[in-house]
Amino acid sequence: MTADRTTRRGFWRTNSLTLGFGAAFLIVLAAQAVAGRAEFNEQLAVEGLQQIGLGDYLMSSDFAVDVTENWQSEFLQFFLYIFGTVYLLQRGSPESKELHKAGSESEREQRMGDHARADSPRWAGTKDWRQAVYAHSLGLVMGLFFLLSWLAQSVSGVAAFNDLRLRQLQEPVTWVSYLGSADFWNRSLQNWQSELLAVAAMAILSVYLRQRGSPESKPVGAPHDATGVEG
C-alpha cells in the first residue's frame, strides 16, 4: 500500500500542471454554464418566452458558440506563438530564443537525424516525411485545433444567430452568409485582439519584471538584457 500511495503521489506531483489547469478548466466551464443559463433565461423572460433548464442550455447553440469562440482564439494564440517565436525575437525576454538562434536551427541543435540520442523520440531520428511532420507537430496540431474550433464556432454561431432572428420574426441566414456577417467576425476578432495583446504584453513585461520560481520568468537576479533565460 505504501508503494502504491507513493506512486499515486508521484503521478499527481509530476503531472500537477496539466491536472491542476485541467481541473480549473472544468470548474470554470461549469460556472460559465450556470451564469450563461441565467443570462439566457433573462433574455427569454424579457421576450416573454419559457425559460430552459441547465441540461437544455448545455445542448443549446448559445452555450456552444460562447465556448468555441474562446477556444479558437486560444488555439490561434498558441499556433501563432509557436511558429512566430521561430524567427521573431525579443531582447531580454524569457519568452524569446537567444538572439543568435533565430530560425529553425541546425539538426545538431535540434537533436535530429544523425544527431538524435538514445532517448530521443523515434521519429526525430528518421530522415523522411516522419521527421518533417514530427519537427512541426506541435504547431500543426495547434493549428488544426484552431481550425476545428473555429469551424465549430461558425456552426454553433449561425444556429444561435438564427435562433435570435426567429425569435425576432426574421428570416434565418445560411451558414455561408453567416461567415461573412458582422456577428461572426465580431465574435472572432474581439477574441483575437485580446490574445495577441496578451502575448505582446507577456513578451515585453518579462524583460523587466520577475516571478520567483516560474519558468515563464527569468531568475530574479538576471539582468534585463538576458534573453532566453528561464527561472
Side-chain angles (χ1 to χ4, degrees):
M1 285 296 292
T2 302
D4 289 342
R5 250 191 240 108
T6 301
T7 300
R8 285 197 296 271
R9 279 200 299 267
F11 173 81
W12 284 95
R13 182 175 182 275
T14 56
N15 295 279
S16 58
L17 184 59
T18 299
L19 294 171
F21 275 90
F25 160 73
L26 294 176
I27 292 170
V28 173
L29 183 63
Q32 178 190 345
V34 173
R37 172 188 172 245
E39 181 187 23
F40 189 67
N41 278 336
E42 287 177 3
Q43 295 173 355
L44 293 178
V46 169
E47 297 172 12
L49 300 174
Q50 183 178 0
Q51 298 187 355
I52 63 174
L54 182 61
D56 289 332
Y57 179 70
L58 292 176
M59 299 300 294
S60 71
S61 56
D62 188 83
F63 177 68
V65 71
D66 285 346
V67 170
T68 54
E69 75 177 58
N70 285 285
W71 286 5
Q72 57 89 5
S73 64
E74 296 295 338
F75 286 122
L76 175 65
Q77 177 196 69
F78 284 110
F79 168 72
L80 294 177
Y81 187 74
I82 289 166
F83 278 104
T85 50
V86 174
Y87 296 98
L88 303 180
L89 306 169
Q90 175 57 59
R91 182 181 179 87
S93 176
E95 300 298 314
S96 167
K97 294 195 296 184
E98 296 177 51
L99 301 180
H100 66 281
K101 291 186 176 181
S104 56
E105 303 179 16
S106 67
E107 289 196 351
R108 179 184 295 276
E109 291 172 310
Q110 288 292 309
R111 303 176 189 174
M112 298 166 57
D114 293 333
H115 302 286
R117 301 178 181 177
D119 58 352
S120 297
R122 186 175 61 179
W123 282 23
T126 61
K127 298 182 179 180
D128 51 24
W129 62 270
R130 292 173 296 174
Q131 185 196 76
V133 170
Y134 190 70
H136 299 91
S137 56
L138 180 59
L140 291 174
V141 169
M142 287 295 181
L144 177 62
F145 284 170
F146 160 66
L147 292 175
L148 291 176
S149 55
W150 200 22
L151 175 62
Q153 177 201 332
S154 71
V155 173
S156 57
V158 70
F161 187 69
N162 282 333
D163 183 59
L164 178 61
R165 288 178 65 87
L166 289 173
R167 296 206 307 268
Q168 297 173 345
L169 304 180
Q170 296 177 317
E171 287 290 328
V173 301
T174 65
W175 177 70
V176 174
S177 297
Y178 180 70
L179 292 182
S181 71
D183 183 82
F184 175 69
W185 285 103
N186 179 53
R187 284 180 177 276
S188 297
L189 294 172
Q190 68 178 331
N191 285 284
W192 294 0
Q193 55 85 14
S194 63
E195 300 299 336
L196 295 173
L197 174 63
V199 171
M202 183 62 182
I204 190 61
L205 291 177
S206 59
V207 175
Y208 303 101
L209 305 179
R210 308 286 189 270
Q211 178 57 55
R212 182 175 180 175
S214 174
E216 299 303 311
S217 167
K218 293 185 289 189
V220 176
H224 291 326
D225 61 355
T227 306
V229 178
E230 297 179 347

